[in-house]
């Protein structure tokens, strides 16, 4: 399973990269705004800065909602760096844009997926990644992990190569359950990835070993 970090914070991206288990980065306009990145030039530079920290795919989201706008923006993003994946919302023109980029050999990440039907459309359009938001489904009393299970079955039935990128991951159990189901990728905040490290028995066991080593 690939691990992506879901942030535009360069320090956190560096920290995850230094851990040696990072496969990529996802961003969105809200995460960019959270870091105070404003203005087209700064936004584009920030994507390049992220690409220069990591070795894997970096999702950069378009903000246009019409086909022509998404194509123009996506082509500019893809030209920035070979690691850029154009992130496109799950709307009608988004599906058309994903198909267009797929035919051009440009990687895409279909975002804001909340149903199996949307996931099926993204795969048929040839999306490289398809991002179901599991935490936001949980927020509205709908089982986000059940959606990942359903999509896994559908994609396996037909051998779709689109990777299931579980997004809106909030805690380590989301990551573990996604791994059990067979999500191809999770994107999570650093806190959820780092939480996988922790177990109180590891801490107490290590403390005992170090104490005994001094005897
Ligand atoms: O990758 C999508 C993610 O950024 C959304 O996460 O926590 O805002 O639902 P969240």
């Amino acid at each position: 399973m690939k691990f992506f970090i879901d942030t535009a914070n360069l320090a956190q991206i560096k920290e995850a990269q230094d851990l040696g288990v990072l496969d990529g980065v996802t961003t969105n306009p809200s995460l960019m705004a959270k870091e105070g990145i404003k203005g087209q030039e700064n936004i584009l530079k920030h994507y390049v800065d992220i690409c220069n920290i990591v070795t894997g795919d970096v999702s950069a989201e378009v903000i246009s909602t019409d086909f022509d706008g998404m194509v123009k923006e996506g082509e500019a993003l893809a030209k920035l760096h070979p690691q850029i994946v154009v992130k496109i919302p799950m709307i009608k023109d988004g599906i058309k844009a994903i198909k267009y980029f797929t035919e051009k050999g440009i990687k895409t990440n279909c975002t804001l997926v909340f149903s199996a039907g949307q996931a099926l459309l993204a795969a048929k359009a040839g999306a490289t990644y398809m991002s179901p938001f599991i935490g936001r489904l949980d927020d509205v009393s709908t089982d986000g992990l059940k959606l990942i299970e359903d999509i896994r079955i559908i994609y396996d039935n037909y051998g779709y190569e689109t990777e299931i990128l579980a997004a809106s991951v909030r805690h380590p159990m989301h990551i573990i359950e996604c791994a059990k189901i067979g999500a191809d990728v999770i994107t999570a905040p650093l806190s959820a990835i780092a939480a996988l490290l922790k177990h109180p028995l590891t801490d107490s066991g290590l403390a005992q070993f170090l104490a005994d080593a001094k005897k």
Side-chain angles (χ1 to χ4, degrees), residues 7-29:
T7 185
N9 182 287
L10 298 182
Q12 290 187 14
I13 293 168
K14 276 190 196 118
E15 192 177 334
Q17 176 67 21
D18 287 349
L19 194 58
V21 298
L22 191 67
D23 300 296
V25 179
T26 52
T27 64
N28 63 39

PDB file of all heavy atoms in Angstrom, residues 7-29:
ATOM      1  N   THR A   7      -1.145  17.167   2.846  1.00  0.00           N
ATOM      2  CA  THR A   7      -0.820  18.482   3.411  1.00  0.00           C
ATOM      3  C   THR A   7      -0.051  19.292   2.374  1.00  0.00           C
ATOM      4  O   THR A   7       0.512  18.725   1.422  1.00  0.00           O
ATOM      5  CB  THR A   7       0.049  18.349   4.681  1.00  0.00           C
ATOM      6  OG1 THR A   7       0.247  19.642   5.262  1.00  0.00           O
ATOM      7  CG2 THR A   7       1.417  17.753   4.398  1.00  0.00           C
ATOM      8  N   ALA A   8      -0.024  20.612   2.586  1.00  0.00           N
ATOM      9  CA  ALA A   8       0.840  21.467   1.765  1.00  0.00           C
ATOM     10  C   ALA A   8       1.941  22.061   2.646  1.00  0.00           C
ATOM     11  O   ALA A   8       2.656  22.969   2.229  1.00  0.00           O
ATOM     12  CB  ALA A   8       0.017  22.575   1.121  1.00  0.00           C
ATOM     13  N   ASN A   9       2.066  21.517   3.877  1.00  0.00           N
ATOM     14  CA  ASN A   9       3.063  22.035   4.825  1.00  0.00           C
ATOM     15  C   ASN A   9       4.430  21.402   4.535  1.00  0.00           C
ATOM     16  O   ASN A   9       4.611  20.193   4.688  1.00  0.00           O
ATOM     17  CB  ASN A   9       2.600  21.700   6.252  1.00  0.00           C
ATOM     18  CG  ASN A   9       3.555  22.238   7.289  1.00  0.00           C
ATOM     19  OD1 ASN A   9       4.648  21.713   7.464  1.00  0.00           O
ATOM     20  ND2 ASN A   9       3.163  23.293   7.957  1.00  0.00           N
ATOM     21  N   LEU A  10       5.384  22.242   4.120  1.00  0.00           N
ATOM     22  CA  LEU A  10       6.673  21.712   3.662  1.00  0.00           C
ATOM     23  C   LEU A  10       7.434  21.001   4.777  1.00  0.00           C
ATOM     24  O   LEU A  10       8.075  19.973   4.536  1.00  0.00           O
ATOM     25  CB  LEU A  10       7.535  22.844   3.077  1.00  0.00           C
ATOM     26  CG  LEU A  10       6.978  23.566   1.843  1.00  0.00           C
ATOM     27  CD1 LEU A  10       7.967  24.617   1.348  1.00  0.00           C
ATOM     28  CD2 LEU A  10       6.643  22.592   0.717  1.00  0.00           C
ATOM     29  N   ALA A  11       7.341  21.524   6.010  1.00  0.00           N
ATOM     30  CA  ALA A  11       8.068  20.891   7.128  1.00  0.00           C
ATOM     31  C   ALA A  11       7.520  19.486   7.383  1.00  0.00           C
ATOM     32  O   ALA A  11       8.281  18.535   7.598  1.00  0.00           O
ATOM     33  CB  ALA A  11       7.941  21.752   8.380  1.00  0.00           C
ATOM     34  N   GLN A  12       6.188  19.355   7.340  1.00  0.00           N
ATOM     35  CA  GLN A  12       5.591  18.023   7.572  1.00  0.00           C
ATOM     36  C   GLN A  12       5.909  17.069   6.420  1.00  0.00           C
ATOM     37  O   GLN A  12       6.129  15.876   6.643  1.00  0.00           O
ATOM     38  CB  GLN A  12       4.083  18.154   7.752  1.00  0.00           C
ATOM     39  CG  GLN A  12       3.723  18.823   9.065  1.00  0.00           C
ATOM     40  CD  GLN A  12       2.229  18.812   9.330  1.00  0.00           C
ATOM     41  OE1 GLN A  12       1.466  18.108   8.683  1.00  0.00           O
ATOM     42  NE2 GLN A  12       1.808  19.605  10.295  1.00  0.00           N
ATOM     43  N   ILE A  13       5.939  17.607   5.214  1.00  0.00           N
ATOM     44  CA  ILE A  13       6.278  16.758   4.058  1.00  0.00           C
ATOM     45  C   ILE A  13       7.721  16.257   4.204  1.00  0.00           C
ATOM     46  O   ILE A  13       8.012  15.085   3.998  1.00  0.00           O
ATOM     47  CB  ILE A  13       6.069  17.525   2.731  1.00  0.00           C
ATOM     48  CG1 ILE A  13       4.567  17.806   2.528  1.00  0.00           C
ATOM     49  CG2 ILE A  13       6.631  16.748   1.548  1.00  0.00           C
ATOM     50  CD1 ILE A  13       4.242  18.795   1.416  1.00  0.00           C
ATOM     51  N   LYS A  14       8.621  17.166   4.621  1.00  0.00           N
ATOM     52  CA  LYS A  14      10.036  16.772   4.833  1.00  0.00           C
ATOM     53  C   LYS A  14      10.124  15.705   5.910  1.00  0.00           C
ATOM     54  O   LYS A  14      10.866  14.718   5.784  1.00  0.00           O
ATOM     55  CB  LYS A  14      10.870  17.990   5.258  1.00  0.00           C
ATOM     56  CG  LYS A  14      11.341  18.817   4.093  1.00  0.00           C
ATOM     57  CD  LYS A  14      12.362  19.877   4.555  1.00  0.00           C
ATOM     58  CE  LYS A  14      12.519  20.925   3.468  1.00  0.00           C
ATOM     59  NZ  LYS A  14      12.140  22.278   3.826  1.00  0.00           N
ATOM     60  N   GLU A  15       9.382  15.913   7.017  1.00  0.00           N
ATOM     61  CA  GLU A  15       9.429  14.954   8.134  1.00  0.00           C
ATOM     62  C   GLU A  15       8.960  13.570   7.671  1.00  0.00           C
ATOM     63  O   GLU A  15       9.592  12.551   7.982  1.00  0.00           O
ATOM     64  CB  GLU A  15       8.557  15.461   9.293  1.00  0.00           C
ATOM     65  CG  GLU A  15       8.780  14.677  10.565  1.00  0.00           C
ATOM     66  CD  GLU A  15       7.973  15.206  11.754  1.00  0.00           C
ATOM     67  OE1 GLU A  15       7.624  16.407  11.781  1.00  0.00           O
ATOM     68  OE2 GLU A  15       7.688  14.390  12.653  1.00  0.00           O
ATOM     69  N   ALA A  16       7.876  13.529   6.911  1.00  0.00           N
ATOM     70  CA  ALA A  16       7.366  12.237   6.413  1.00  0.00           C
ATOM     71  C   ALA A  16       8.353  11.623   5.427  1.00  0.00           C
ATOM     72  O   ALA A  16       8.598  10.407   5.440  1.00  0.00           O
ATOM     73  CB  ALA A  16       6.001  12.434   5.761  1.00  0.00           C
ATOM     74  N   GLN A  17       8.940  12.457   4.578  1.00  0.00           N
ATOM     75  CA  GLN A  17       9.921  11.951   3.600  1.00  0.00           C
ATOM     76  C   GLN A  17      11.126  11.363   4.334  1.00  0.00           C
ATOM     77  O   GLN A  17      11.623  10.295   3.974  1.00  0.00           O
ATOM     78  CB  GLN A  17      10.341  13.107   2.671  1.00  0.00           C
ATOM     79  CG  GLN A  17      11.430  12.749   1.659  1.00  0.00           C
ATOM     80  CD  GLN A  17      10.975  11.743   0.608  1.00  0.00           C
ATOM     81  OE1 GLN A  17       9.784  11.580   0.362  1.00  0.00           O
ATOM     82  NE2 GLN A  17      11.923  11.045  -0.001  1.00  0.00           N
ATOM     83  N   ASP A  18      11.572  12.037   5.405  1.00  0.00           N
ATOM     84  CA  ASP A  18      12.733  11.562   6.162  1.00  0.00           C
ATOM     85  C   ASP A  18      12.462  10.224   6.842  1.00  0.00           C
ATOM     86  O   ASP A  18      13.392   9.462   7.100  1.00  0.00           O
ATOM     87  CB  ASP A  18      13.155  12.597   7.217  1.00  0.00           C
ATOM     88  CG  ASP A  18      13.822  13.800   6.572  1.00  0.00           C
ATOM     89  OD1 ASP A  18      14.136  13.725   5.365  1.00  0.00           O
ATOM     90  OD2 ASP A  18      14.000  14.822   7.268  1.00  0.00           O
ATOM     91  N   LEU A  19      11.191   9.947   7.137  1.00  0.00           N
ATOM     92  CA  LEU A  19      10.835   8.670   7.751  1.00  0.00           C
ATOM     93  C   LEU A  19      11.106   7.516   6.782  1.00  0.00           C
ATOM     94  O   LEU A  19      11.309   6.370   7.190  1.00  0.00           O
ATOM     95  CB  LEU A  19       9.353   8.713   8.159  1.00  0.00           C
ATOM     96  CG  LEU A  19       8.801   7.658   9.098  1.00  0.00           C
ATOM     97  CD1 LEU A  19       9.553   7.640  10.420  1.00  0.00           C
ATOM     98  CD2 LEU A  19       7.306   7.909   9.350  1.00  0.00           C
ATOM     99  N   GLY A  20      11.117   7.827   5.498  1.00  0.00           N
ATOM    100  CA  GLY A  20      11.495   6.826   4.490  1.00  0.00           C
ATOM    101  C   GLY A  20      10.349   5.962   3.996  1.00  0.00           C
ATOM    102  O   GLY A  20      10.579   4.969   3.307  1.00  0.00           O
ATOM    103  N   VAL A  21       9.109   6.334   4.349  1.00  0.00           N
ATOM    104  CA  VAL A  21       7.979   5.494   3.927  1.00  0.00           C
ATOM    105  C   VAL A  21       6.981   6.272   3.054  1.00  0.00           C
ATOM    106  O   VAL A  21       5.881   5.792   2.816  1.00  0.00           O
ATOM    107  CB  VAL A  21       7.225   4.896   5.142  1.00  0.00           C
ATOM    108  CG1 VAL A  21       8.138   4.003   5.960  1.00  0.00           C
ATOM    109  CG2 VAL A  21       6.616   5.992   6.016  1.00  0.00           C
ATOM    110  N   LEU A  22       7.395   7.446   2.590  1.00  0.00           N
ATOM    111  CA  LEU A  22       6.433   8.297   1.867  1.00  0.00           C
ATOM    112  C   LEU A  22       6.485   8.020   0.360  1.00  0.00           C
ATOM    113  O   LEU A  22       7.558   7.953  -0.235  1.00  0.00           O
ATOM    114  CB  LEU A  22       6.761   9.772   2.134  1.00  0.00           C
ATOM    115  CG  LEU A  22       5.692  10.755   1.674  1.00  0.00           C
ATOM    116  CD1 LEU A  22       4.417  10.598   2.511  1.00  0.00           C
ATOM    117  CD2 LEU A  22       6.188  12.202   1.769  1.00  0.00           C
ATOM    118  N   ASP A  23       5.301   7.864  -0.230  1.00  0.00           N
ATOM    119  CA  ASP A  23       5.211   7.585  -1.669  1.00  0.00           C
ATOM    120  C   ASP A  23       4.662   8.756  -2.477  1.00  0.00           C
ATOM    121  O   ASP A  23       4.619   8.676  -3.704  1.00  0.00           O
ATOM    122  CB  ASP A  23       4.304   6.363  -1.892  1.00  0.00           C
ATOM    123  CG  ASP A  23       4.855   5.125  -1.184  1.00  0.00           C
ATOM    124  OD1 ASP A  23       5.952   4.684  -1.558  1.00  0.00           O
ATOM    125  OD2 ASP A  23       4.203   4.628  -0.246  1.00  0.00           O
ATOM    126  N   GLY A  24       4.191   9.801  -1.811  1.00  0.00           N
ATOM    127  CA  GLY A  24       3.639  10.930  -2.557  1.00  0.00           C
ATOM    128  C   GLY A  24       2.924  11.909  -1.652  1.00  0.00           C
ATOM    129  O   GLY A  24       2.889  11.736  -0.426  1.00  0.00           O
ATOM    130  N   VAL A  25       2.354  12.932  -2.290  1.00  0.00           N
ATOM    131  CA  VAL A  25       1.689  14.023  -1.555  1.00  0.00           C
ATOM    132  C   VAL A  25       0.372  14.349  -2.259  1.00  0.00           C
ATOM    133  O   VAL A  25       0.296  14.320  -3.486  1.00  0.00           O
ATOM    134  CB  VAL A  25       2.578  15.298  -1.545  1.00  0.00           C
ATOM    135  CG1 VAL A  25       1.896  16.441  -0.806  1.00  0.00           C
ATOM    136  CG2 VAL A  25       3.949  15.018  -0.948  1.00  0.00           C
ATOM    137  N   THR A  26      -0.654  14.641  -1.450  1.00  0.00           N
ATOM    138  CA  THR A  26      -1.877  15.220  -2.020  1.00  0.00           C
ATOM    139  C   THR A  26      -2.092  16.587  -1.378  1.00  0.00           C
ATOM    140  O   THR A  26      -1.818  16.780  -0.193  1.00  0.00           O
ATOM    141  CB  THR A  26      -3.112  14.329  -1.759  1.00  0.00           C
ATOM    142  OG1 THR A  26      -3.189  14.018  -0.373  1.00  0.00           O
ATOM    143  CG2 THR A  26      -3.069  13.052  -2.580  1.00  0.00           C
ATOM    144  N   THR A  27      -2.563  17.511  -2.207  1.00  0.00           N
ATOM    145  CA  THR A  27      -2.908  18.845  -1.706  1.00  0.00           C
ATOM    146  C   THR A  27      -4.316  19.161  -2.203  1.00  0.00           C
ATOM    147  O   THR A  27      -4.859  18.439  -3.037  1.00  0.00           O
ATOM    148  CB  THR A  27      -1.945  19.922  -2.258  1.00  0.00           C
ATOM    149  OG1 THR A  27      -2.094  19.995  -3.685  1.00  0.00           O
ATOM    150  CG2 THR A  27      -0.503  19.612  -1.917  1.00  0.00           C
ATOM    151  N   ASN A  28      -4.895  20.197  -1.660  1.00  0.00           N
ATOM    152  CA  ASN A  28      -6.143  20.731  -2.210  1.00  0.00           C
ATOM    153  C   ASN A  28      -6.165  22.228  -1.914  1.00  0.00           C
ATOM    154  O   ASN A  28      -5.310  22.719  -1.150  1.00  0.00           O
ATOM    155  CB  ASN A  28      -7.370  19.968  -1.659  1.00  0.00           C
ATOM    156  CG  ASN A  28      -7.525  20.102  -0.157  1.00  0.00           C
ATOM    157  OD1 ASN A  28      -7.298  21.169   0.411  1.00  0.00           O
ATOM    158  ND2 ASN A  28      -7.916  19.018   0.505  1.00  0.00           N
ATOM    159  N   PRO A  29      -7.078  22.983  -2.498  1.00  0.00           N
ATOM    160  CA  PRO A  29      -7.067  24.433  -2.292  1.00  0.00           C
ATOM    161  C   PRO A  29      -7.175  24.836  -0.816  1.00  0.00           C
ATOM    162  O   PRO A  29      -6.584  25.834  -0.391  1.00  0.00           O
ATOM    163  CB  PRO A  29      -8.283  24.916  -3.098  1.00  0.00           C
ATOM    164  CG  PRO A  29      -8.420  23.892  -4.188  1.00  0.00           C
ATOM    165  CD  PRO A  29      -8.064  22.578  -3.539  1.00  0.00           C
TER     166      PRO A  29
END
